[in-house]
Amino acid sequence: MTKSPRGRDGRRSHLRLVPDPGEPHGPTAGVDVDTTPSVAVLETLLETLSLDLAAVPAALHPVIAEASVARSASMLADQLWPAGRPDEIGEVERFFWADAARVLAERRDLESFVLLTSLARTVGPAGRLPLQRAHISRLRTQDEVPEWVTRIAGFRLTSAIVSEDITGDGLSVVLDYDDEQHPHTVVVFIDNNLGAIVKDVFVGPPVDRVLEAYQRGGRVTIRTVRPSTAAGIILQALGETRDYDDPPVSEDFEFFTGLLVNRLTQLPERPIRPPVRPLLSPRQRDQLVEEFLESTPALPDDAADIVRLWIDHAVDHTVGGPLRVSAVLVELFLAHWLPRKVLADSTYFDAVPVVVKAWLRFAGDRTQLPLDAIDEAVDAVDVWQPALEAAAMTDPVGSKPGERVFLDDTTNDLEDAYRALAGLGSPPQPDLRGLDNSQAATLSVLAPHAWLMAGETLGTAYAPDAFDIAERLVRDAPDLLAKARLSTWPRAIVWLLAHRHRLVGPGETLTPYALATDLSSSPATLRKTAKLLTDTLILPL
């Protein structure tokens, strides 16, 4: 298993359990050389465990030992018995753990005893019995066992709380583990804006300090739940996470998920599945739109269409319902979903900020949300408005200004528009360090648009250059942006690249008029805007 042979600090990565062929692994001192497959794997597990323990304070050793070995055991399952009939899988698993138990039982060093203790308390039923027997055997003869080793995987869950952001962006499930030496919590963050997936898992301080931090920060609701209820919430969210091909999770999630699952599966009570989220029918969605229009006068003509799109996005792509008021939800809708979902001109998109602000105030009033939370979401509309300006077409897409068309009625993934282009893949992420909120919002929209447009129009080889020019424009010449519509800049960048690389002209497949048509603009506008770029920025040849 080989994401990378080295971790972020230069040491061997947790992700490398089975060593490369040819890597030497000397036997533990005083132990005869063993040639079974378990030996090479156990040596890697020992090295991984030692490095994990060395990276944390001694007080955390019982928790980190449990987490390290639980993660390794889970990854071994993926590597060594990932396929085949259930009986075959079980046979391979039982053979491996029986052999591992035999090898560890014959050793006498403390490091292998720590590994054996951790394995005996975390490995599933297929390997538990031989490992426990080996552990008991060594316990009788092992000299000077540190007290902390006896506490590995022995913590008792005493309570659970759920802390939820008032804007509904996410919730944290906090599992409280009581221990005289090291009371701690396991905190699981569930992101509602990404379909209620588990985005982070980490070990936190004792629960009283966690509660104090939540109360000091404000803007959260806190409730105590039964451990079985907490387990049900977490397990359902983990299921949602596994539905992602590449979920955007933290590094701590990767490390502590094995520990989390191991502890949840050992609870005396069965997890209680959360209630099924109620669906909102088309009629109920239309009714919400009608109530909004009746309560809010003087709205643009497209208000009903825009607010219905907001409701559809909130209900179908996030968790929490259509009346959720959140600055993050504003960003997702304005900067990502709507520009990828709808093709429209500036007349339509100019109406979106006005309608969204009115809807946020309407929804905030209906849910009695604090005014500061409503104001934060409303202010976010101005921050992310450049996303709409960049997406607007120069020419109307319908029979009259203000009309819009859907790009893809079946798209759920925000990146599908990028992935659909053969060989282009996903756009890089711009570096937003040192930029204010407005510049960051502009760059986060402008650079991917230029990248996509260049890749689609000129070919994949030109997408990186378009991305770099867009980034330099925002960073080096932000005042230049006001001299043309934001939506014109990606088109001008593509026009500039096409001419610099001599893709336009006599004998070439592209003519100026054909290229301008592909870019939904006019040659004069593109030529003028591209000249602003060359006059201001020093671009490489």
Side-chain angles (χ1 to χ4, degrees):
M1 179 124 182
T2 58
K3 270 196 180 177
S4 171
R6 296 282 165 186
R8 62 186 182 279
D9 54 2
R11 65 178 175 83
R12 287 178 61 84
S13 171
H14 295 112
L15 298 176
R16 194 182 186 86
L17 291 179
V18 180
D20 287 334
E23 284 191 3
H25 284 280
T28 304
V31 179
D32 292 337
V33 174
D34 197 324
T35 58
T36 62
S38 302
V39 173
V41 177
L42 290 174
E43 292 297 336
T44 305
L45 294 182
L46 277 168
E47 183 183 1
T48 299
L49 178 58
S50 298
L51 291 169
D52 288 337
L53 292 176
V56 299
L60 281 173
H61 281 185
V63 178
I64 297 302
E66 178 187 357
S68 176
V69 173
R71 182 172 188 266
S72 295
S74 174
M75 295 175 68
L76 278 172
D78 292 337
Q79 293 180 69
L80 300 182
W81 42 89
R85 295 192 298 270
D87 289 345
E88 294 173 347
I89 296 172
E91 186 63 29
V92 173
E93 187 177 3
R94 284 190 294 270
F95 173 82
F96 176 85
W97 289 123
D99 191 58
R102 179 191 61 79
V103 172
L104 292 173
E106 294 172 356
R107 299 188 178 188
R108 291 294 176 265
D109 59 291
L110 179 60
E111 290 77 10
S112 65
F113 182 73
V114 174
L115 176 61
L116 177 57
T117 303
S118 304
L119 288 171
R121 297 177 180 180
T122 57
V123 168
R128 186 176 301 157
L129 185 57
L131 288 166
Q132 288 179 343
R133 286 174 175 170
H135 181 253
I136 293 172
S137 174
R138 282 197 62 176
L139 193 59
R140 297 192 186 104
T141 58
Q142 189 70 35
D143 296 330
E144 299 181 2
V145 177
E147 185 274 337
W148 70 265
V149 178
T150 65
R151 293 188 287 117
I152 295 174
F155 299 103
R156 182 172 62 92
L157 179 62
T158 57
S159 64
I161 63 173
V162 173
S163 169
E164 189 165 6
D165 191 293
I166 60 173
T167 62
D169 287 326
L171 58 90
S172 294
V173 182
V174 184
L175 306 175
D176 176 29
Y177 289 90
D178 188 17
D179 179 76
E180 292 182 0
Q181 300 296 324
H182 185 67
H184 63 277
T185 54
V186 175
V187 183
V188 182
F189 175 68
I190 299 172
D191 193 333
N192 285 339
N193 289 315
L194 292 174
I197 68 168
V198 176
K199 196 171 184 179
D200 198 7
V201 179
F202 59 92
V203 171
V207 69
D208 55 344
R209 288 170 54 189
V210 175
L211 286 171
E212 180 185 348
Y214 285 151
Q215 291 164 350
R216 185 170 58 249
R219 297 186 59 164
V220 296
T221 60
I222 301 173
R223 68 183 190 274
T224 301
V225 298
R226 292 169 56 186
S228 55
T229 300
I233 295 171
I234 293 170
L235 291 174
Q236 176 168 293
L238 283 173
E240 298 289 344
T241 310
R242 292 191 180 100
D243 286 342
Y244 272 72
D245 291 333
D246 186 19
V249 296
S250 70
E251 189 172 1
D252 281 340
F253 172 92
E254 300 284 355
F255 185 71
F256 286 110
T257 301
L259 174 147
L260 173 66
V261 173
N262 183 61
R263 292 188 178 187
L264 292 179
T265 54
Q266 295 183 23
L267 289 177
E269 298 179 79
R270 291 176 60 85
I272 298 174
R273 186 180 180 87
V276 177
R277 301 185 188 105
L279 299 176
L280 204 65
S281 68
R283 175 61 193 136
Q284 290 172 313
R285 301 183 192 198
D286 291 338
Q287 185 176 349
L288 266 179
V289 174
E290 292 170 6
E291 293 172 1
F292 166 68
L293 296 177
E294 291 173 358
S295 66
T296 312
L299 289 170
D301 294 338
D302 297 308
D305 186 76
I306 294 168
V307 79
R308 176 58 192 269
L309 288 174
W310 172 280
I311 292 172
D312 290 344
H313 172 259
V315 173
D316 298 335
H317 298 269
T318 74
V319 173
L323 295 175
R324 190 157 66 83
V325 176
S326 156
V328 178
L329 195 57
V330 169
E331 176 188 348
L332 291 175
F333 181 72
L334 296 184
H336 301 284
W337 188 78
L338 194 62
R340 299 288 179 266
K341 186 73 172 178
V342 169
L343 190 63
D345 64 4
S346 58
T347 305
Y348 183 89
F349 279 145
D350 284 348
V352 172
V354 177
V355 175
V356 171
K357 286 181 179 181
W359 170 262
L360 293 170
R361 295 188 180 97
F362 166 79
D365 183 62
R366 288 279 292 265
T367 57
Q368 299 183 340
L369 197 66
L371 291 178
D372 63 328
I374 300 173
D375 291 341
E376 179 183 72
V378 170
D379 291 342
V381 175
D382 294 328
V383 172
W384 297 105
Q385 185 173 347
L388 298 175
E389 296 178 3
M393 300 296 292
T394 303
D395 300 317
V397 299
S399 59
K400 63 180 186 297
E403 279 195 295
R404 59 102 181 103
V405 295
F406 286 116
L407 293 175
D408 183 357
D409 284 327
T410 62
T411 295
N412 290 322
D413 187 351
L414 297 179
E415 301 300 327
D416 275 357
Y418 298 128
R419 300 182 193 278
L421 296 175
L424 193 55
S426 298
Q429 295 297 316
D431 181 4
L432 304 181
R433 290 175 296 182
L435 301 177
D436 59 32
N437 285 343
S438 179
Q439 290 174 323
T442 300
L443 179 57
S444 67
V445 172
L446 188 63
H449 269 72
W451 178 91
L452 173 63
M453 196 168 287
E456 187 177 27
T457 306
L458 306 180
T460 58
Y462 301 96
D465 287 345
F467 189 95
D468 292 342
I469 294 173
E471 192 165 26
R472 288 195 55 195
L473 172 61
V474 176
R475 286 192 172 276
D476 300 345
D479 295 340
L480 196 63
L481 291 167
K483 296 185 178 182
R485 289 176 53 85
L486 195 59
S487 60
T488 303
W489 288 110
R491 297 168 170 86
I493 290 171
V494 176
W495 175 273
L496 174 64
L497 286 173
H499 282 78
R500 287 172 67 86
H501 290 279
R502 299 179 180 177
L503 304 177
V504 181
E508 302 296 336
T509 56
L510 281 176
T511 66
Y513 180 78
L515 178 59
T517 301
D518 287 344
L519 297 174
S520 300
S521 188
S522 67
T525 297
L526 295 171
R527 191 178 299 111
K528 176 183 176 182
T529 311
K531 188 174 187 302
L532 291 174
L533 284 171
T534 55
D535 289 347
T536 306
L537 299 177
I538 300 176
L539 301 174
L541 297 175

